[in-house]
Amino acid sequence: MRHAVRPIYLDNNATTRMDPEVLAAMVPYFTEQFGNASSTHSFGTEVGSALKQARQHLQTLLGAAFDYEIIFTSGVPNPIIRQFFRRSKRRRAAMRS
């Protein structure tokens, strides 16, 4: 009996599968609340408020001193991400000392 080989996707540089919890949290912003967070109209301020909460949550998780240190981008090269996390770990270790 021959078994089918399930392919494994390794090109995460191009796209990465989204974690189910992240997808569930983002569905409202993909379907109902899709205003520009930088705009002052009600659509934008609603999304802007959610973005501020996400930034503050990440600030806590990463140990960033200020929420404005968190920058959301559409894509960042892996070496930059690794450098960010190294600095973040050093900052958290220094804060514990």
Side-chain angles (χ1 to χ4, degrees):
M1 181 195 293
R2 210 166 177 207
H3 295 282
V5 176
R6 183 171 182 221
I8 300 172
Y9 187 79
L10 297 174
D11 189 9
N12 288 309
N13 189 44
T15 184
T16 303
R17 179 181 49 191
M18 188 176 291
D19 182 276
E21 287 183 52
V22 173
L23 178 60
M26 289 303 299
V27 164
Y29 303 100
F30 293 147
T31 59
E32 300 162 15
Q33 299 171 292
F34 45 84
N36 181 340
S38 299
S39 297
T40 57
H41 51 64
S42 62
F43 297 104
T45 56
E46 195 171 325
V47 173
S49 176
L51 185 59
K52 183 172 177 65
Q53 286 178 332
R55 190 180 308 277
Q56 290 170 340
H57 183 69
L58 280 174
Q59 176 187 356
T60 301
L61 288 173
L62 298 173
F66 305 99
D67 69 341
Y68 59 79
E69 291 181 287
I70 309 301
I71 301 168
F72 297 104
T73 68
S74 62
V76 176
N78 285 334
I80 294 172
I81 293 171
R82 282 194 295 272
Q83 184 63 26
F84 173 78
F85 281 108
R86 278 189 208 113
R87 289 181 184 175
S88 176
K89 284 180 185 178
R90 285 193 297 254
R91 180 179 292 139
R92 284 194 307 269
M95 290 172 69
R96 287 187 208 123
S97 301

